[in-house]
Structure formats: structure tokens, C-alpha cells
Amino acid sequence: MTTVAKVTDEGTDSPYALSHLDALESEAVHIFREVAGEFENPVILFSGGKDSIVMLHLALKAFAPAAIPFSLLHVDTGHNFPEVLEYRDRVVAEHGLRLHVASVQDYIDRGVLRERPDGTRNPLQTLPLTEKIQSERFDAVFGGGRRDEEKARAKERVFSLRDEFSQWDPRRQRPELWQLYNGRHAPGEHVRVFPLSNWTELDVWQYIAREDIELPGIYFAHEREVFERAGMWLTAGEWGGPKAGETVETRLVRYRTVGDMSCTGAVDSDATTLDAVITEIAASRLTERGATRADDKMSEAAMEDRKREGYF
Amino acid sequence: MSNSTAEPVKPLSTEQLSATTLLRFATAGSVDDGKSTLVGRLLHDSKSVLTDQLEAVERVSASRGADAPDLALLTDGLRAEREQGITIDVAYRYFATARRRFILADTPGHVQYTRNMVTGASTADLAVVLVDARNGVIEQTRRHAAVAALLRVPHVVLAVNKMDLVAYDETVFAKIAEEFTAYAGELGVPEITAIPISALAGDNVVEPSSNMDWYGGPTVLEHLETVPVSHDLATCHARLPVQYVIRPQTAEHPDYRGYAGQIAAGAFRVGESVTVLPSGRTSKVAGIDLLGQPVDVAWTPQSVTLLLEDDIDISRGDLIVPSGDAPATTQDVEATVCHVADTALSVGQRVLLKHTTRTVKAIVKEIPSRLTLDDLSQHPEPGRLVANDIGRVRIRTAEPLALDSYADSRRTGSFLLIDPSDGTTLAAGMAGDAFATPADEAAQAGAADDEGWDF
């Protein structure tokens, strides 16, 4: 990290200009500190994916040299990449954090949720998540959602009020003015907070490179046994793939997002370093979700509908 | 798939990418001025629309029987918007060029959504006001200019759209530009750039137009890329609202006590004498931590932690300022507010006032006037303000506030009024005079080589 940023561009000759990454970092830290100052029991949603890893890194910087005043919550679909779970547990131990786990598998075992015919567990995350928020009385829940991800997300506030059923109503959002975030809520309601709202996928990667943040290995090119479904490379596994007619082959791939194995696809890639990943993303003509998320393709309003129900 | 999106984009180098600055801007336009098309065109022609997004737009356009992809579909994200074909709320868009990264607050043009333009303009360094070349400056244009002036957006672009429908006629453009510049200038808008465009045909949006040789200025994108966003901080009043007190109380840091916050204006230096408001206690800056790294100087909008020489009582909501440059504290706030809630704001109403990191009880003492944005006329004593109204208010607060004039600092001169019963954000407030006068501008221009605007 530079002590004094000396950035100039054609638009300004001021030595006080901040690079866009410094500006985004400063804004995110401001958001973390606002929540720490105004809420009783915040939690960071942590999946072991790059966005939540960046969130955790920002939170650590925001409160240094003190520990972060939040615990972590992982919604465990039961179909996780083992490398990601290993990473999660290592990070939690390293920083002395408290980890809550909401388990989809528990809900299925108890008969509360039923496995979908397509094996996709992403839509099943909403109930365990919202019940955990209620039972632990979390009043602010940090998510790594970015407004560049999807059209419905582009409308999301940084502080997004959810009712006692965790529902999002896009027509009843509070206007968000200046940097004055209004986190007031009634008992039972909570606020979803998105410190990375203004970041793009490329910003996240550049920041990871600049800050030299460690990631799970699945983000870098590696050989993996995959099969093709709906135009994506899925990892073979106990969750229900491959089916008859789908052939497993070994390919050089990496992941752009981390999620449930049943619906997160890998992309062909030989990018084994951060620089190579950034070059690849800058040249990519596909969005992150378009390339790798089956669940977003279900309908034009898939994300909006799931967000309304309480999903992130 | 159209050819322009299939073209490979030359990737930017990591160096290029990290040296870019960020420009936040807002768009405003009436319903059929082509705002969505302009936004779609900016995203599309700057190669920010990726193949899968465009394919989705093409799929939906085709299913509706359209022969060309409707670029407006790139930005209308909610089910109700697609159904009604209108934009119902502010959306944020992101795109980048080699020179700069952009955050666009895409605000709806419907008159009932004035509050959304206020929302978008509150964080904008620049506002693009769209006008239909065939209609010229209309009431809605004047409203948009007034909101930009009220919110003290430093740069305003007048985009005269649909030039293709007036035969790219220079005199049409010149007349509209002149009328708008005169009106906005009177409101104290410091910098106005007028650009003749056709969002549909792509003239002067990203590429210079061959249809308007008479125009020698920048395209919309060129202007966005080069407009200055940072300022000479030497003339700003330094302000640090305390967000959170950091006290590790660990063996390694037994005595660390840091005041964390985002510098709202100006710069702070180690060794500087500072005063803490509202208590008025003074001390010296012993150290500044920039996210874990000690620095000698820090400036807006950096998030920092300040360490002071003396162990004085400071908590969230306090304001740290240079000792020689403290704002007066007051319990009587005079301000312009934009009402953003569906329930009214009335004289005598008890509210919460959120100013920087401090929230205090307050009561609306008077609503001396309501402003009509169309002609800037004042309606005396309206008694109440309803959604999208803009009015002058007098508010008495339960505790003193260290409030700057909004003209001096957008961060420390702004506030929210909140309904204490359910937390609804009622109004957006700006302390001090509503509009800058051109005379003020002239004085400021003489005092500093930059506009003196402040973030």
C-alpha cells in the first residue's frame, strides 16, 4: 500500500486525487464503520468466495489494529468445493473470528426443505439464511453483492431494509442521499448492507492483486474433471452429475464465482496468476454470472424474485 | 449479434487500470428525451455491454417484435419497469475507459420522481441534463437545472439530443444552449458544457459526429473522461466526523485510542491543533493511520483513524476540525429540504435529524416557503411539504450541531430528516442558502483557481 497516493490523470493535476481503488476502499471502510457505530449485532456473510474475502479484508483494515467487531455467517449448501471450506476454516482460525453456519443439508435431512429435481441448491439457501438471521437476532447482515452483477442488483441500496420475513421491496426502498445511510429499523427487521455496491468484478480482482489477498485455488487455472451442461463446465460430484449422456472430461479450467457446485460453472482458462486472471477478465465478453451461473438464467426476473424472498 | 460488440476489446494493462480516477455522474431527462438510449449508447459504445447482456436484450426485443435491440432494456431492471416501460427508481451503472471509471446514477425523468434526481445528484460530480432538440428548454429542463444547482453539482452538461430530427441545425442547438446557460448561470451553476448529440444515431456520444462539423467541442464521453474531479484542498475547511472509536485493549496495543472516520472535507496533518465539537476541547494530531499504515497527511475522502496527544472524551457523532477553522455550533437550523417520503412533513412535527455521524431529536418550527422549481417562485407558509416538494425550513434541534453551509461542504452541510416512529427517511436537507448567486461564484473564482466546490 502506498503512503501517499500521487495519482494524476488528464482530468486533474491535483496531487490529492485518489485512484478509483482507493476511493472505493475508503467508501467501503466508511460503510463498515457506520454499521459498527449504529447496529447491535452485525454479521458478515462469508462464503469463501472472492467478494466475501475482499469484504473481510476491508473489515480487518477498517478496525485495525483492533479486531473486527462482527462475526461471520456461512450458508452451507452442502455442495461446497472442499478447497473453499478449507480456506474458510483457516481464515476463521487465523483471525480468531466466530463463524455461524446455516446448513441447507440440515433442512433437507429434517424434511423442511426438499431437494429440487435439478439438484440445484441455490434457491434453497433463503430459508436457512433468514431463519438464522432471526434466531441469532442479527440486525445488520453484510453481503458481497455488487450492483454491476445484474439489473435488479443495480437498484439495490447500500443499506437495504428487510422486513421480518427478510423480504426486499424495490418500490419501498429508502432514497440514499450523500453518504448518510439510514439504518433505522423496527425489531425483527434487519438491514442488508453491501459495502461493495459500487465495485465491479474487475475492481475486485485489481484490489485482490494490489492487496495481495490469498484466494482459494479454484479461482486459478487447474485441471479438473468436468462435464458440459447448459453450455457450462460443471464439476462431477455427489450432488447429481453427470447424468446419462453427459461425459466427464479433464480440462484446464478456473472459476469466476464460487457457489453451490451444482450450478456454478467453470470457464476454460490458462490463467494461473492474478495478472493473467485480470487480463482474461478485462478481455472477456461475458459477465461473471452469464458465464457461470445456471440459476440466473432461469428467467429474466430470477434475481429480483429471489431477492424479494430474502435471498441476497 | 451486432458487429460493434463482437469486436475484441484491447485489454487495459494493470498499470492503466489502477491509475484511473473515479467520476460519479447523474443523468436527468424527461420521459421521451431518450435518456435510456443515451445511457445504453454510452454503455454499448464504450464496450461495457457484454455479449450475454446484449443477447438477453436482443432476445427480449425480438420476442416483442422489435427489429433492432432496444438499448433502453439494458437499464430497466425491475419487472414493473419492463411491464410499464418506465424507470421507477435510481439505478447505478458502471463502466470504464482507459482514462477513467464511471459510476452513473441513472435517474428517472418523471416529474413525480424529483426526489430520485435529488438522490442521484447528491453524490454526483457532474449532471447530464437531456433536452429534446425539437422541444428546447421546457419546464422539466428548468427543474433539472434547479435541482443540479440546489445540490451544488459542480459540473453540468446540457446534452441537446435528437439533433438528427432537426437536420443537425447549428442555430437550433445554439439557441437552446444559450437559453439554458443563461438560466442555469442565474442559479449559480458554476460550469455548463453544451453538447449537440443524437443518442439513437450515436452522434457526439462516444464518437465525434460527421454530421455536425460546426461543433468543435468534446463528445459526451470525452468530456466525462477529462472533467476535473478533485480540487485544491488548501481552500477547504477540514472536517472529520467521528464514526467509531477504535480501542483494541490488547497486550500489543494497550493504550491505542483512535478516532475513525472518513474525512468529509479538506486535509489533516500530524502536529496540527484540532478542536472537537460540540464540546470545544482542543488537542493536537499525534498520528494518522490510513487503514493500518501511518501517514503524515490525509485528505478527503480517505477513511482514516486520528490519534490525538491528549486523552479527551470523544465519541461517535463528534466533529474534529482544525482549531483555527471551526464552524459555529447551533440548535437552530435553516435549510432547504427536498421531501422524499410519501407521508407529509408538517410544522410542529417531531423528527430525527441525521447530520454526518450524529443523530439528534429535532422539531420542525417553521416552513417559511415552498419552492416551485418550474419558475423558482416561492409560496409562503405552505404548512406542510409532500413528496417531491422542495422548501425552506427552520428546525430546532435537541443538541447543538456543528453544521457547515451546504455551499461550503456538501458532506457537512447536508442532513436527513427521519421519522422516529418507523425510520422512514422524510427529507434531504441542505443548510444555508438555497442557491449560489453568480456574484458568489465570481468572488470564489477570484479567491482560488478552482471552483471552491467541496465534497
PDB file of all heavy atoms in Angstrom, chain B residues 10 17 26 30 56 101 112 182 190 199 205 248 261 270 284 305 325 351 359 376 389 395 412 415 434 437 445:
ATOM      1  N   LYS B  10      -9.268  -4.362 -26.682  1.00  0.00           N
ATOM      2  CA  LYS B  10      -7.887  -4.473 -26.230  1.00  0.00           C
ATOM      3  C   LYS B  10      -7.866  -4.325 -24.716  1.00  0.00           C
ATOM      4  O   LYS B  10      -8.318  -3.322 -24.173  1.00  0.00           O
ATOM      5  CB  LYS B  10      -7.066  -3.355 -26.871  1.00  0.00           C
ATOM      6  CG  LYS B  10      -5.587  -3.505 -26.639  1.00  0.00           C
ATOM      7  CD  LYS B  10      -4.807  -2.539 -27.542  1.00  0.00           C
ATOM      8  CE  LYS B  10      -3.333  -2.567 -27.212  1.00  0.00           C
ATOM      9  NZ  LYS B  10      -3.007  -1.754 -26.038  1.00  0.00           N
ATOM     10  N   LEU B  17      -5.102   0.394 -15.512  1.00  0.00           N
ATOM     11  CA  LEU B  17      -6.337   0.222 -14.768  1.00  0.00           C
ATOM     12  C   LEU B  17      -6.267   0.847 -13.382  1.00  0.00           C
ATOM     13  O   LEU B  17      -7.227   1.411 -12.905  1.00  0.00           O
ATOM     14  CB  LEU B  17      -6.644  -1.277 -14.631  1.00  0.00           C
ATOM     15  CG  LEU B  17      -7.160  -1.952 -15.902  1.00  0.00           C
ATOM     16  CD1 LEU B  17      -7.099  -3.451 -15.741  1.00  0.00           C
ATOM     17  CD2 LEU B  17      -8.573  -1.518 -16.187  1.00  0.00           C
ATOM     18  N   ALA B  26     -24.650  11.880 -12.789  1.00  0.00           N
ATOM     19  CA  ALA B  26     -26.076  11.552 -12.811  1.00  0.00           C
ATOM     20  C   ALA B  26     -26.659  12.028 -14.123  1.00  0.00           C
ATOM     21  O   ALA B  26     -26.187  13.000 -14.711  1.00  0.00           O
ATOM     22  CB  ALA B  26     -26.786  12.238 -11.641  1.00  0.00           C
ATOM     23  N   SER B  30     -36.435  14.269 -19.411  1.00  0.00           N
ATOM     24  CA  SER B  30     -37.861  13.991 -19.408  1.00  0.00           C
ATOM     25  C   SER B  30     -38.105  12.628 -20.025  1.00  0.00           C
ATOM     26  O   SER B  30     -37.202  12.025 -20.604  1.00  0.00           O
ATOM     27  CB  SER B  30     -38.611  15.061 -20.189  1.00  0.00           C
ATOM     28  OG  SER B  30     -38.378  16.314 -19.604  1.00  0.00           O
ATOM     29  N   ALA B  56     -29.348 -11.049 -24.127  1.00  0.00           N
ATOM     30  CA  ALA B  56     -30.605 -11.005 -23.380  1.00  0.00           C
ATOM     31  C   ALA B  56     -31.504  -9.895 -23.918  1.00  0.00           C
ATOM     32  O   ALA B  56     -32.702 -10.086 -24.098  1.00  0.00           O
ATOM     33  CB  ALA B  56     -30.320 -10.801 -21.893  1.00  0.00           C
ATOM     34  N   ARG B 101     -12.885   5.540 -14.538  1.00  0.00           N
ATOM     35  CA  ARG B 101     -14.007   4.660 -14.225  1.00  0.00           C
ATOM     36  C   ARG B 101     -15.209   5.530 -13.877  1.00  0.00           C
ATOM     37  O   ARG B 101     -15.050   6.579 -13.265  1.00  0.00           O
ATOM     38  CB  ARG B 101     -13.684   3.803 -13.006  1.00  0.00           C
ATOM     39  CG  ARG B 101     -12.388   3.073 -13.141  1.00  0.00           C
ATOM     40  CD  ARG B 101     -12.558   1.681 -12.653  1.00  0.00           C
ATOM     41  NE  ARG B 101     -12.269   0.811 -13.759  1.00  0.00           N
ATOM     42  CZ  ARG B 101     -12.592  -0.477 -13.775  1.00  0.00           C
ATOM     43  NH1 ARG B 101     -13.246  -1.007 -12.770  1.00  0.00           N
ATOM     44  NH2 ARG B 101     -12.280  -1.218 -14.802  1.00  0.00           N
ATOM     45  N   GLN B 112     -42.901  13.136 -10.916  1.00  0.00           N
ATOM     46  CA  GLN B 112     -43.151  12.672  -9.550  1.00  0.00           C
ATOM     47  C   GLN B 112     -41.904  12.048  -8.919  1.00  0.00           C
ATOM     48  O   GLN B 112     -41.929  11.633  -7.792  1.00  0.00           O
ATOM     49  CB  GLN B 112     -44.330  11.700  -9.492  1.00  0.00           C
ATOM     50  CG  GLN B 112     -44.127  10.398 -10.242  1.00  0.00           C
ATOM     51  CD  GLN B 112     -44.670  10.475 -11.652  1.00  0.00           C
ATOM     52  OE1 GLN B 112     -44.504  11.483 -12.334  1.00  0.00           O
ATOM     53  NE2 GLN B 112     -45.323   9.417 -12.107  1.00  0.00           N
ATOM     54  N   ALA B 182     -28.012  30.669 -19.741  1.00  0.00           N
ATOM     55  CA  ALA B 182     -28.445  31.880 -19.040  1.00  0.00           C
ATOM     56  C   ALA B 182     -29.238  31.515 -17.785  1.00  0.00           C
ATOM     57  O   ALA B 182     -28.989  32.057 -16.697  1.00  0.00           O
ATOM     58  CB  ALA B 182     -29.298  32.741 -19.974  1.00  0.00           C
ATOM     59  N   PRO B 190     -21.861  26.499 -11.656  1.00  0.00           N
ATOM     60  CA  PRO B 190     -20.550  27.073 -11.977  1.00  0.00           C
ATOM     61  C   PRO B 190     -20.040  26.750 -13.366  1.00  0.00           C
ATOM     62  O   PRO B 190     -19.342  27.541 -13.971  1.00  0.00           O
ATOM     63  CB  PRO B 190     -19.626  26.479 -10.919  1.00  0.00           C
ATOM     64  CG  PRO B 190     -20.307  25.244 -10.439  1.00  0.00           C
ATOM     65  CD  PRO B 190     -21.782  25.453 -10.627  1.00  0.00           C
ATOM     66  N   ALA B 199     -28.485  10.426 -29.540  1.00  0.00           N
ATOM     67  CA  ALA B 199     -28.205   9.194 -28.791  1.00  0.00           C
ATOM     68  C   ALA B 199     -28.530   7.979 -29.649  1.00  0.00           C
ATOM     69  O   ALA B 199     -27.828   6.981 -29.631  1.00  0.00           O
ATOM     70  CB  ALA B 199     -29.000   9.161 -27.491  1.00  0.00           C
ATOM     71  N   VAL B 205     -21.747  11.131 -28.954  1.00  0.00           N
ATOM     72  CA  VAL B 205     -21.864  10.481 -27.650  1.00  0.00           C
ATOM     73  C   VAL B 205     -20.502   9.906 -27.272  1.00  0.00           C
ATOM     74  O   VAL B 205     -19.892  10.310 -26.293  1.00  0.00           O
ATOM     75  CB  VAL B 205     -22.951   9.386 -27.640  1.00  0.00           C
ATOM     76  CG1 VAL B 205     -22.995   8.684 -26.276  1.00  0.00           C
ATOM     77  CG2 VAL B 205     -24.312   9.995 -27.951  1.00  0.00           C
ATOM     78  N   PRO B 248      -8.260  -1.271  20.823  1.00  0.00           N
ATOM     79  CA  PRO B 248      -8.005  -2.721  20.807  1.00  0.00           C
ATOM     80  C   PRO B 248      -7.901  -3.319  22.210  1.00  0.00           C
ATOM     81  O   PRO B 248      -8.339  -4.443  22.426  1.00  0.00           O
ATOM     82  CB  PRO B 248      -6.663  -2.839  20.068  1.00  0.00           C
ATOM     83  CG  PRO B 248      -6.363  -1.499  19.502  1.00  0.00           C
ATOM     84  CD  PRO B 248      -7.163  -0.495  20.253  1.00  0.00           C
ATOM     85  N   GLY B 261     -12.876   7.659  11.008  1.00  0.00           N
ATOM     86  CA  GLY B 261     -13.892   8.349  10.218  1.00  0.00           C
ATOM     87  C   GLY B 261     -13.387   8.621   8.819  1.00  0.00           C
ATOM     88  O   GLY B 261     -12.204   8.431   8.518  1.00  0.00           O
ATOM     89  N   VAL B 270      -0.312  15.635  10.730  1.00  0.00           N
ATOM     90  CA  VAL B 270       0.228  15.330  12.049  1.00  0.00           C
ATOM     91  C   VAL B 270       0.824  16.613  12.635  1.00  0.00           C
ATOM     92  O   VAL B 270       1.481  17.375  11.923  1.00  0.00           O
ATOM     93  CB  VAL B 270       1.300  14.219  11.945  1.00  0.00           C
ATOM     94  CG1 VAL B 270       2.012  14.019  13.286  1.00  0.00           C
ATOM     95  CG2 VAL B 270       0.653  12.912  11.492  1.00  0.00           C
ATOM     96  N   LYS B 284      -3.856  18.045  19.849  1.00  0.00           N
ATOM     97  CA  LYS B 284      -3.036  18.051  18.633  1.00  0.00           C
ATOM     98  C   LYS B 284      -3.085  16.663  17.994  1.00  0.00           C
ATOM     99  O   LYS B 284      -3.203  15.658  18.701  1.00  0.00           O
ATOM    100  CB  LYS B 284      -1.577  18.366  18.990  1.00  0.00           C
ATOM    101  CG  LYS B 284      -1.230  19.838  19.010  1.00  0.00           C
ATOM    102  CD  LYS B 284       0.295  20.000  18.888  1.00  0.00           C
ATOM    103  CE  LYS B 284       0.705  21.426  18.623  1.00  0.00           C
ATOM    104  NZ  LYS B 284       0.720  22.252  19.833  1.00  0.00           N
ATOM    105  N   THR B 305      -7.864   6.942  10.683  1.00  0.00           N
ATOM    106  CA  THR B 305      -8.011   6.925  12.134  1.00  0.00           C
ATOM    107  C   THR B 305      -7.060   7.974  12.696  1.00  0.00           C
ATOM    108  O   THR B 305      -5.861   7.932  12.425  1.00  0.00           O
ATOM    109  CB  THR B 305      -7.663   5.533  12.692  1.00  0.00           C
ATOM    110  OG1 THR B 305      -8.440   4.563  11.994  1.00  0.00           O
ATOM    111  CG2 THR B 305      -7.981   5.458  14.175  1.00  0.00           C
ATOM    112  N   ASP B 325     -10.323  26.877  12.508  1.00  0.00           N
ATOM    113  CA  ASP B 325     -11.302  26.838  11.421  1.00  0.00           C
ATOM    114  C   ASP B 325     -12.531  26.013  11.808  1.00  0.00           C
ATOM    115  O   ASP B 325     -12.924  25.093  11.108  1.00  0.00           O
ATOM    116  CB  ASP B 325     -10.620  26.259  10.169  1.00  0.00           C
ATOM    117  CG  ASP B 325     -11.544  26.265   8.953  1.00  0.00           C
ATOM    118  OD1 ASP B 325     -12.523  27.035   8.956  1.00  0.00           O
ATOM    119  OD2 ASP B 325     -11.283  25.486   8.025  1.00  0.00           O
ATOM    120  N   VAL B 351     -39.041  15.043  14.635  1.00  0.00           N
ATOM    121  CA  VAL B 351     -38.286  14.203  13.709  1.00  0.00           C
ATOM    122  C   VAL B 351     -36.919  13.879  14.319  1.00  0.00           C
ATOM    123  O   VAL B 351     -36.570  14.386  15.388  1.00  0.00           O
ATOM    124  CB  VAL B 351     -38.065  14.925  12.351  1.00  0.00           C
ATOM    125  CG1 VAL B 351     -39.366  15.145  11.608  1.00  0.00           C
ATOM    126  CG2 VAL B 351     -37.314  16.243  12.547  1.00  0.00           C
ATOM    127  N   THR B 359     -27.021  11.693  15.164  1.00  0.00           N
ATOM    128  CA  THR B 359     -28.474  11.745  15.007  1.00  0.00           C
ATOM    129  C   THR B 359     -29.082  12.358  16.263  1.00  0.00           C
ATOM    130  O   THR B 359     -28.825  11.881  17.360  1.00  0.00           O
ATOM    131  CB  THR B 359     -29.035  10.331  14.769  1.00  0.00           C
ATOM    132  OG1 THR B 359     -28.388   9.764  13.634  1.00  0.00           O
ATOM    133  CG2 THR B 359     -30.538  10.381  14.495  1.00  0.00           C
ATOM    134  N   LEU B 376     -39.094  28.942 -10.115  1.00  0.00           N
ATOM    135  CA  LEU B 376     -38.366  29.349  -8.920  1.00  0.00           C
ATOM    136  C   LEU B 376     -39.143  30.330  -8.053  1.00  0.00           C
ATOM    137  O   LEU B 376     -38.579  31.068  -7.262  1.00  0.00           O
ATOM    138  CB  LEU B 376     -36.997  29.942  -9.278  1.00  0.00           C
ATOM    139  CG  LEU B 376     -36.064  29.015 -10.064  1.00  0.00           C
ATOM    140  CD1 LEU B 376     -34.748  29.715 -10.344  1.00  0.00           C
ATOM    141  CD2 LEU B 376     -35.812  27.719  -9.305  1.00  0.00           C
ATOM    142  N   ASP B 389     -41.706  17.847  -2.937  1.00  0.00           N
ATOM    143  CA  ASP B 389     -41.663  19.287  -2.678  1.00  0.00           C
ATOM    144  C   ASP B 389     -40.266  19.698  -2.237  1.00  0.00           C
ATOM    145  O   ASP B 389     -39.563  18.943  -1.567  1.00  0.00           O
ATOM    146  CB  ASP B 389     -42.638  19.659  -1.542  1.00  0.00           C
ATOM    147  CG  ASP B 389     -44.057  19.851  -2.041  1.00  0.00           C
ATOM    148  OD1 ASP B 389     -44.270  19.798  -3.262  1.00  0.00           O
ATOM    149  OD2 ASP B 389     -44.947  20.046  -1.189  1.00  0.00           O
ATOM    150  N   ILE B 395     -35.538  24.463  11.759  1.00  0.00           N
ATOM    151  CA  ILE B 395     -35.600  23.287  12.620  1.00  0.00           C
ATOM    152  C   ILE B 395     -34.844  23.577  13.910  1.00  0.00           C
ATOM    153  O   ILE B 395     -33.734  24.118  13.890  1.00  0.00           O
ATOM    154  CB  ILE B 395     -34.961  22.069  11.903  1.00  0.00           C
ATOM    155  CG1 ILE B 395     -35.750  21.736  10.634  1.00  0.00           C
ATOM    156  CG2 ILE B 395     -34.907  20.856  12.819  1.00  0.00           C
ATOM    157  CD1 ILE B 395     -35.012  20.846   9.679  1.00  0.00           C
ATOM    158  N   THR B 412     -20.677  18.080   5.149  1.00  0.00           N
ATOM    159  CA  THR B 412     -21.009  18.540   6.498  1.00  0.00           C
ATOM    160  C   THR B 412     -22.095  19.611   6.495  1.00  0.00           C
ATOM    161  O   THR B 412     -22.457  20.129   7.540  1.00  0.00           O
ATOM    162  CB  THR B 412     -19.762  19.070   7.230  1.00  0.00           C
ATOM    163  OG1 THR B 412     -19.136  20.056   6.393  1.00  0.00           O
ATOM    164  CG2 THR B 412     -18.781  17.951   7.526  1.00  0.00           C
ATOM    165  N   PHE B 415     -28.001  16.904   5.587  1.00  0.00           N
ATOM    166  CA  PHE B 415     -28.580  16.080   6.655  1.00  0.00           C
ATOM    167  C   PHE B 415     -29.836  15.381   6.161  1.00  0.00           C
ATOM    168  O   PHE B 415     -30.377  15.720   5.106  1.00  0.00           O
ATOM    169  CB  PHE B 415     -28.895  16.934   7.904  1.00  0.00           C
ATOM    170  CG  PHE B 415     -29.869  18.051   7.654  1.00  0.00           C
ATOM    171  CD1 PHE B 415     -31.247  17.841   7.713  1.00  0.00           C
ATOM    172  CD2 PHE B 415     -29.417  19.342   7.365  1.00  0.00           C
ATOM    173  CE1 PHE B 415     -32.153  18.870   7.482  1.00  0.00           C
ATOM    174  CE2 PHE B 415     -30.311  20.385   7.131  1.00  0.00           C
ATOM    175  CZ  PHE B 415     -31.676  20.140   7.179  1.00  0.00           C
ATOM    176  N   ALA B 434     -30.282  28.542  -0.401  1.00  0.00           N
ATOM    177  CA  ALA B 434     -30.677  27.520  -1.366  1.00  0.00           C
ATOM    178  C   ALA B 434     -29.760  27.514  -2.592  1.00  0.00           C
ATOM    179  O   ALA B 434     -29.171  26.491  -2.921  1.00  0.00           O
ATOM    180  CB  ALA B 434     -32.126  27.738  -1.790  1.00  0.00           C
ATOM    181  N   THR B 437     -25.354  32.471  -5.748  1.00  0.00           N
ATOM    182  CA  THR B 437     -25.612  33.569  -6.675  1.00  0.00           C
ATOM    183  C   THR B 437     -24.408  33.680  -7.590  1.00  0.00           C
ATOM    184  O   THR B 437     -23.295  33.322  -7.209  1.00  0.00           O
ATOM    185  CB  THR B 437     -25.797  34.905  -5.929  1.00  0.00           C
ATOM    186  OG1 THR B 437     -24.564  35.192  -5.263  1.00  0.00           O
ATOM    187  CG2 THR B 437     -26.915  34.813  -4.922  1.00  0.00           C
ATOM    188  N   ALA B 445     -14.250  32.490  -7.722  1.00  0.00           N
ATOM    189  CA  ALA B 445     -13.330  32.301  -8.840  1.00  0.00           C
ATOM    190  C   ALA B 445     -12.102  33.192  -8.656  1.00  0.00           C
ATOM    191  O   ALA B 445     -10.995  32.818  -9.017  1.00  0.00           O
ATOM    192  CB  ALA B 445     -14.027  32.614 -10.162  1.00  0.00           C
TER     193      ALA B 445
END
